[in-house]
Amino acid sequence: MLASIFSKTRPINYIILTILIAGSYAVSVFHLRDIQWSNYEIVKKSSVFVLLLLMTYLSQFIATRNRLVSDNAYVPLLFVSFLLLFPTSVESSKVVISAFFIMLALRRIFALQSLKQSKEKIFDAALWIFVASLFHFWSILFIILLFFSLTFYGAKDYRNWIIPIIAFFVVMTFLGVYLAVMNENVLIWATEKCSISFDFMYFENMYQNAALSIFVSISLLYFISQALSLPSKPFNMQNTHKKVIISFLIGVAIYIISADKNNGMLLFTFFPLAVLGSNYIENITQNWRKEANVFSIFLIGAISFILQCFYL
C-alpha cells in the first residue's frame, strides 16, 4: 500500500507526510520533556516544526531536481520514518537548525553538476555550511563534500577554490560582531563548540538503544547495496551518487565525534540515507518485496516512536 501510494509524486503524499510530522512532533514535545511554556518556547518549538517540514519537502526537491531518484516520493517518506525512529531528533533546536542549513548547502552542491552559475552555488553552499557550524560546530565537516565536488566541477578555475574562503570570512565577521556585542571571548566560545567525545553511553532507555541498532542495520543494508551498485549507475551520474555516499559518511562522522551525543545527531544522515534507501527500493522488482520493505521501515519507525514517547 505505502509503496504504491508513494511510487509517484502526488499532492496526497505531502498531505500525509505533513500530518505525520505534525502529529508526531506534537506528541514528542508533550511527552519527551517537561516544558515550561512561554512565548519564547512557543516560537522556538513552532520554528523547529516548520524547519522539519521544510527539510522534508526539500529532500524531495533535491532528489528529483538532481535525478538522484526516479519519479517517486520514497525519499521524504523514509526521511519521516527516520524522524519517527528517533523522536529525540527534534529535541535540540540547534541541531535541527544546523541540519536545515546543511540541506540548503546540499541543494547547491548537488546543483553544481549543471555548471550554470557555479560560483554563486559554491559561495552559497560554503556560506550555509559555515552558518550551520555556528549552531552545531561539527557540521563544518560538510565542507569536505564541497571541495570533493570542486574536483569534478570547475577544478581548473582557481577562483572556485577561493570562494569558500571568502564565505568563511563573511560568516566569521558577523560572528565576531555578535561575540563583541555579547561581550563573549572568542577562544572560550570556540573551545566549547569544538569539543569531541566518543562516549556512546547516553541512552535513557532500552528503546533508544534498540532504535539505534535498527538504524545501523538499515544503514548498512542501504549503504553497502548502493556502494556496490555504483559502477552500474550511468557514467554521468556516478559522481553525483558518490556525493550522496560521502554526505552520509560525513553525517555518521558528525554523530561519532559530537560531544553532546544523542540519537538526534543522526539527523545529518537522514537525507543521504533516504536517497540510498530510495534507490534500493527502486531496484526491487517484485512488488510484494517493495511493499514489504517500505511498510516495514515505516512500521518500525512508528512502533519505535510510540515506545520511546510513552516509555515510563
Side-chain angles (χ1 to χ4, degrees), residues 64-290:
T64 54
R65 184 67 177 268
N66 298 284
R67 297 181 296 161
L68 299 175
V69 298
S70 300
D71 183 24
N72 58 63
Y74 294 142
V75 170
L77 175 62
L78 291 176
F79 188 91
V80 172
S81 298
F82 297 148
L83 284 175
L84 293 175
L85 189 62
F86 299 121
T88 54
S89 59
V90 305
E91 286 189 17
S92 176
S93 57
K94 289 185 177 181
V95 172
V96 174
I97 294 171
S98 180
F100 173 72
F101 284 124
I102 290 298
M103 289 282 287
L104 294 179
L106 291 177
R107 172 178 172 267
R108 302 301 273 174
I109 291 174
F110 283 107
L112 280 173
Q113 62 185 345
S114 68
L115 299 178
K116 296 179 180 179
Q117 298 179 322
S118 58
K119 289 179 175 56
E120 290 86 347
K121 293 174 183 176
I122 294 169
F123 179 82
D124 289 348
L127 184 70
W128 292 133
I129 291 172
F130 292 131
V131 171
S133 69
L134 299 180
F135 295 93
H136 185 73
F137 177 77
W138 291 114
S139 60
I140 200 172
L141 293 178
F142 276 95
I143 201 69
I144 298 173
L145 181 64
L146 177 58
F147 285 122
F148 173 82
S149 301
L150 289 181
T151 61
F152 297 102
Y153 310 109
K156 296 181 180 179
D157 189 344
Y158 73 92
R159 291 173 296 180
N160 291 339
W161 299 92
I162 299 176
I163 291 174
I165 300 176
I166 297 174
F168 172 79
F169 281 109
V170 169
V171 174
M172 288 303 100
T173 299
F174 283 101
L175 175 62
V177 172
Y178 169 79
L179 293 178
V181 172
M182 301 301 294
N183 197 25
E184 294 187 28
N185 187 284
V186 177
L187 293 178
I188 296 176
W189 182 89
T191 302
E192 292 176 351
K193 295 288 184 179
C194 300
S195 55
I196 297 175
S197 174
F198 296 100
D199 181 13
F200 293 89
M201 303 305 294
Y202 59 84
F203 302 107
E204 298 176 1
N205 55 64
M206 64 179 180
Y207 300 120
Q208 291 183 1
N209 196 341
L212 179 61
S213 300
I214 294 171
F215 185 78
V216 170
S217 301
I218 295 172
S219 300
L220 288 174
L221 172 64
Y222 289 164
F223 176 79
I224 294 175
S225 64
Q226 294 309 298
L228 293 176
S229 65
L230 189 60
S232 63
K233 303 287 184 183
F235 182 76
N236 63 332
M237 291 297 295
Q238 288 186 9
N239 290 332
T240 301
H241 286 281
K242 286 178 183 177
K243 288 191 285 187
V244 175
I245 292 175
I246 292 174
S247 62
F248 171 73
L249 293 176
I250 291 174
V252 173
I254 292 173
Y255 164 75
I256 292 174
I257 67 177
S258 293
D260 48 346
K261 204 181 308 298
N262 58 67
N263 285 348
M265 291 296 169
L266 291 166
L267 184 60
F268 294 100
T269 68
F270 287 2
F271 170 69
L273 186 61
V275 174
L276 295 175
S278 181
N279 280 282
Y280 175 83
I281 294 169
E282 289 174 5
N283 293 331
I284 299 176
T285 55
Q286 298 92 338
N287 286 333
W288 69 270
R289 284 185 57 205
K290 186 176 295 186

Side-chain angles (χ1 to χ4, degrees), residues 294-309:
V294 174
F295 183 76
S296 61
I297 297 297
F298 175 77
L299 183 63
I300 289 171
I303 294 175
S304 175
F305 175 84
I306 294 172
L307 291 175
Q308 292 181 64
C309 284

Side-chain angles (χ1 to χ4, degrees), residues 39-55:
N39 291 336
Y40 169 76
E41 198 66 34
I42 292 174
V43 171
K44 186 174 78 170
K45 295 300 180 184
S46 300
S47 299
V48 170
F49 169 67
V50 172
L51 290 181
L52 290 173
L53 280 179
L54 291 176
M55 289 170 66

